[in-house]
Amino acid sequence: MKIKFRLSQTVSATLASAMLVTAVPAFAANSAKPGVNMDIGIQVDGRVLVPLRDISDELGAKLSWEESTKSITLTKDSTTVQLKIGDPTVQVNGKSQTLDVPPQIKGDQTFVPVRFVAEAFGAKVEWDTEAQSTHIDTKEKDMYISARPYFELDGVPLVYDGEMKNGLPDGKGFAAKGTSIYGEKWYEGQWKDGKPVREEAPPGTEGYKIYVNGSYLKSDYAPIVRNNAVYVPLWAVLGKVNASAQAVDGVIRINHPSRILLLRANSNLLTYYGGKMDSHTVRLDFPPISENDVIYVPLVFLTDYMDMKIVWGEQQRVDLTVGDLSKNNTWGQQGIISDGIKKLRLDSDAEAIWKNYPNLWVDSLPRGSDGAMNGGFERFEQLAVISYSGPTVVLSNGSKNVQFNFDSIEAIHRSFFTADPLAQFDWPESVKSVIRQQKVRIGMTQEQVLMSWGKPDDVNKTTGSFGTFEQWVYRGSSIGSGNYLYFTDGVLTSSQTLK
């Protein structure tokens, strides 16, 4: 897997929670070796661990896995590395070494110490304390791997981005569930000694008191008022009425005796299935929200989809009445529900991107509704989001509107930048125009050519008394095949195309 997200090495908590950020690899003007930014690392016991599959792919090592023994073998050229989950003893070409932190499984991924694996295959490894980044220098590329602290709090696995003190979160920070800072937000705000500092009562509670079937709803979290609607803590209400529910990949599944509900915090999309597993998707006027790791739903959701009746009393008392919801609550066809969960995740994650980023810059788009490559748009061209539904979006450059359909969040991330990648360069607009058309011209620097055509397949370099001469070979790509570019001291002086 290549660059998972387009990331800078420093990510604010706000951008992290928005899921998509920008990075443009910085290429040295006198070197053709590409740079790759990977925001995939976690810090465990002072060591940087990375997903095994990602690092093996980037190093060009062949990976094999033995399920019965939980053993891993990596091979590249004449080097063979053998590891085992939970075992600090490893083998490099038959010689034993002992790691400070053994390979381990976090979530659904296998993590390995990045320094050991990279150095085993001859790479140079440096740690940048200020950037919290590991630099891996190989013959083929430079890799910059950002890593954030990983820990578990109250049984929840978390990665953290923010202020630290004595090795613990302390100050302002953001935590996401799982092993990626781009996972589901767990908490954002103030921390003290490694734990979130929660307010005694969320703002806007307005003193509402909730009773369920005549019994006061006891909860650590009071009702809140948002968007002129009263919200109540979902899990506390479900527990009060014996409703079966579970969180699956960030989606909440509620088993009602008459229907199965799928919803996500901060999304107005709701999917539900009737008794015959007939599927329905609706948009809620008041979506569930998440604040300080607590999921709240509006009272109207309970009346519309949980069959509860509501009576507004004096002194802001609210009475909810409902029958026993524990009956027949294990039914449902798991395959259909699993597909519904995946679709809801894709739809809601995609809409969060379109909503948070009304302007995007093209990297490489699929064919649009007009059938043209890249929808007929230029690379790095700014587009505005006109409308969307799930992963289907209509984009415009002001002259034409084109609809695109994406089949995954990864495909969306690969297709866009969230800021103009060319804005940081003080180049003439004429040069930028050539780059946007993915063309090259005499006089361009190597950095400009890399921005337009990407890295070459081969580089032939000669240094003499008259300067440094390089030949870049592009054998086959979207820009055509058999292209040769010639540089003198880092400036393009001639080109050749073989038919």
Side-chain angles (χ1 to χ4, degrees):
M1 182 174 65
K2 302 302 179 183
I3 301 177
K4 193 170 184 180
F5 298 103
R6 305 187 178 281
L7 304 172
S8 59
Q9 293 182 7
T10 303
V11 182
S12 71
T14 301
L15 286 178
S17 63
M19 302 164 45
L20 189 69
V21 289
T22 301
V24 178
F27 300 101
N30 60 354
S31 173
K33 189 164 67 171
V36 178
N37 295 328
M38 303 175 70
D39 197 1
I40 58 175
I42 59 175
Q43 297 178 35
V44 178
D45 297 333
R47 296 292 183 266
V48 174
L49 305 183
V50 292
L52 172 63
R53 176 64 66 180
D54 290 353
I55 192 63
S56 62
D57 284 352
E58 288 296 337
L59 292 172
K62 181 180 179 181
L63 167 65
S64 61
W65 166 262
E66 177 56 51
E67 176 64 29
S68 60
T69 60
K70 304 296 183 184
S71 299
I72 305 154
T73 301
L74 300 174
T75 55
K76 180 183 180 183
D77 300 329
S78 60
T79 301
T80 300
V81 177
Q82 294 174 300
L83 313 95
K84 187 175 181 180
I85 299 299
D87 190 344
T89 302
V90 297
Q91 304 283 329
V92 180
N93 289 337
K95 295 182 179 180
S96 296
Q97 296 185 28
T98 301
L99 304 177
D100 294 335
V101 178
Q104 48 199 274
I105 295 177
K106 300 294 186 184
D108 58 355
Q109 292 182 296
T110 298
F111 282 79
V112 294
V114 65
R115 178 177 291 275
F116 163 73
V117 173
E119 290 181 342
F121 290 105
K124 297 180 181 179
V125 181
E126 296 179 342
W127 170 252
D128 187 332
T129 301
E130 182 177 355
Q132 294 292 287
S133 173
T134 299
H135 174 209
I136 301 177
D137 184 0
T138 72
K139 294 180 180 179
E140 298 84 10
K141 67 184 76 174
D142 284 307
M143 288 183 280
Y144 300 89
I145 299 179
S146 299
R148 295 181 176 80
Y150 171 92
F151 56 95
E152 293 188 8
L153 193 60
D154 298 329
V156 179
L158 303 170
V159 283
Y160 174 80
D161 185 31
E163 297 174 345
M164 303 277 289
K165 183 178 180 181
N166 298 325
L168 295 173
D170 198 290
K172 188 176 181 180
F174 171 90
K177 292 182 180 180
T179 58
S180 169
I181 201 67
Y182 303 96
E184 179 185 352
K185 183 174 81 170
W186 186 77
Y187 175 78
E188 182 177 3
Q190 290 295 318
W191 295 70
K192 180 68 174 177
D193 298 329
K195 295 184 178 180
V197 179
R198 304 186 187 276
E199 300 172 346
E200 290 299 324
T205 57
E206 307 294 341
Y208 284 98
K209 303 175 183 63
I210 308 299
Y211 289 78
V212 180
N213 292 333
S215 177
Y216 177 66
L217 179 64
K218 294 182 180 180
S219 173
D220 292 334
Y221 304 95
I224 60 176
V225 176
R226 298 291 183 270
N227 304 317
N228 295 319
V230 178
Y231 280 74
V232 293
L234 174 63
W235 292 103
V237 174
L238 295 179
K240 195 72 171 178
V241 296
N242 298 321
S244 171
Q246 62 183 134
V248 182
D249 294 333
V251 174
I252 299 174
R253 169 183 172 172
I254 302 175
N255 295 317
H256 185 278
S258 302
R259 65 192 68 91
I260 293 175
L261 304 165
L262 303 178
L263 64 149
R264 293 194 78 185
N266 307 315
S267 171
N268 67 350
L269 293 173
L270 171 72
T271 299
Y272 68 92
Y273 300 91
K276 296 182 179 180
M277 295 306 298
D278 46 314
S279 176
H280 307 268
T281 298
V282 298
R283 290 190 180 272
L284 303 172
D285 292 331
F286 299 95
I289 61 175
S290 176
E291 292 191 6
N292 298 329
D293 195 37
V294 180
I295 297 176
Y296 296 87
V297 293
L299 292 177
V300 67
F301 169 81
L302 301 177
T303 58
D304 288 351
Y305 297 99
M306 298 296 293
D307 297 337
M308 296 188 183
K309 295 181 179 180
I310 183 171
V311 175
W312 298 86
E314 296 180 354
Q315 298 180 342
Q316 296 181 300
R317 171 168 173 156
V318 179
D319 276 273
L320 300 172
T321 57
V322 66
D324 187 358
L325 298 184
S326 64
K327 301 175 183 178
N328 304 319
N329 56 9
T330 58
W331 59 273
Q333 297 180 28
Q334 188 57 45
I336 295 177
I337 297 170
S338 295
D339 289 343
I341 290 173
K342 292 178 182 178
K343 185 178 186 304
L344 181 59
R345 278 181 57 85
L346 173 58
D347 290 352
S348 56
D349 285 346
E351 292 195 356
I353 294 174
W354 311 136
K355 179 180 178 181
N356 289 320
Y357 297 95
N359 291 285
L360 294 163
W361 283 257
V362 176
D363 185 4
S364 178
L365 289 168
R367 290 188 183 274
S369 56
D370 60 355
M373 287 291 295
N374 252 20
F377 297 122
E378 293 183 347
R379 193 171 186 227
F380 303 145
E381 184 172 3
Q382 181 179 354
L383 303 178
V385 176
I386 302 301
S387 62
Y388 57 81
S389 178
T392 298
V393 63
V394 176
L395 302 172
S396 175
N397 64 354
S399 299
K400 64 177 179 178
N401 298 346
V402 181
Q403 178 176 294
F404 295 90
N405 299 309
F406 295 90
D407 57 9
S408 68
I409 292 299
E410 290 74 16
I412 296 176
H413 283 289
R414 289 194 301 266
S415 297
F416 301 104
F417 296 95
T418 58
D420 184 359
L422 298 178
Q424 63 180 308
F425 299 106
D426 187 21
W427 296 336
E429 187 56 41
S430 59
V431 172
K432 292 183 179 181
S433 177
V434 171
I435 293 174
R436 290 190 181 97
Q437 298 172 53
Q438 290 188 274
K439 296 180 180 180
V440 297
R441 73 180 186 188
I442 303 303
M444 291 179 72
T445 66
Q446 290 179 335
E447 187 175 28
Q448 291 165 351
V449 171
L450 284 168
M451 288 293 289
S452 182
W453 279 12
K455 67 178 182 178
D457 297 301
D458 278 318
V459 175
N460 301 309
K461 184 175 181 181
T462 302
T463 301
S465 58
F466 295 100
T468 299
F469 305 91
E470 292 189 27
Q471 178 197 58
W472 287 12
V473 182
Y474 291 87
R475 292 197 183 90
S477 67
S478 60
I479 54 91
S481 60
N483 287 276
Y484 295 80
L485 302 182
Y486 300 91
F487 296 85
T488 301
D489 293 332
V491 177
L492 182 62
T493 55
S494 64
S495 63
Q496 182 182 15
T497 300
L498 300 182
K499 300 297 184 180

